[in-house]
Amino acid sequence: MPNRHLLRTVFMQTLYEWDFYKKDSKRIDDFIKQNMQEFVKSQDGVEFVKEKIEGVIKEIENIDKVIEQAAPDWPLDQIAMVDRNVLRLGVYELLFAEDIPPKVAINEAIELGKSFGGKSSGKFINGVLGGIYKNMPQEKQNNK
């Protein structure tokens, strides 16, 4: 199975396409398949990506509210699309993915932001996710 960082690249790219195409969930499987071929060169790990995408879509309203509260000066529609979807990935892993330690979720999101976003994306993502992390209950911070 490919490493999780590479699979998160597919995850982020698929979220980006989903967002770009007006949150068209009917095309998710096609997006995942295409991105797996482009970035991973196989379908190994596709279940990891599908599970995460389905989780984000299920929790999108909650995730977007958390982002809006953590970055009140940045309305969601004014955040660059790459940054917005990296944040969605990060918030999902931080708050809803029991198998991902919070600091891993934050670090992975920062790295994706640096790789695919603008020159200040990493700092912006770090600030937003770091603020969310600091406001999490202590037991949840240490639970993973």
Side-chain angles (χ1 to χ4, degrees):
M1 181 159 120
N3 70 47
R4 287 200 170 182
H5 181 75
L6 189 56
L7 292 174
R8 282 184 181 89
T9 300
V10 172
F11 179 13
M12 187 276 305
Q13 181 64 29
T14 302
L15 276 180
Y16 179 94
E17 290 179 84
W18 172 76
D19 195 12
F20 182 83
Y21 287 105
K22 312 281 189 256
K23 299 180 179 160
D24 183 0
S25 296
K26 295 176 194 157
R27 299 178 66 187
I28 288 290
D29 288 338
D30 294 334
F31 297 152
I32 292 171
K33 183 178 179 181
Q34 177 185 343
N35 291 323
M36 288 295 290
Q37 285 182 306
E38 183 175 335
F39 293 104
V40 181
K41 309 292 186 233
S42 77
Q43 294 299 305
D44 290 344
V46 73
E47 289 306 315
F48 173 84
V49 175
K50 277 183 145 182
E51 176 187 316
K52 300 296 182 187
I53 293 291
E54 289 169 1
V56 168
I57 291 171
K58 178 182 172 199
E59 297 292 344
I60 193 66
E61 288 181 29
N62 294 323
I63 291 168
D64 286 353
K65 283 179 189 174
V66 168
I67 294 169
E68 288 169 347
Q69 290 171 351
D73 294 338
W74 289 93
L76 206 57
D77 63 344
Q78 290 183 11
I79 297 174
M81 194 176 292
V82 168
D83 294 353
R84 179 171 60 234
N85 287 293
V86 170
L87 283 170
R88 285 173 170 158
L89 179 158
V91 170
Y92 175 76
E93 288 194 336
L94 197 58
L95 300 180
F96 300 100
E98 297 293 324
D99 61 328
I100 309 294
K103 291 183 181 181
V104 170
I106 293 169
N107 187 57
E108 287 289 333
I110 292 167
E111 292 305 314
L112 286 170
K114 287 178 181 177
S115 296
F116 295 100
K119 65 180 183 177
S120 61
S121 292
K123 289 180 182 180
F124 176 68
I125 291 164
N126 184 35
V128 173
L129 295 179
I132 294 167
Y133 176 78
K134 287 177 187 172
N135 290 317
M136 289 170 54
Q138 190 69 33
E139 63 273 3
K140 189 155 176 131
Q141 289 179 11
N142 299 326
N143 196 20
K144 299 179 187 176

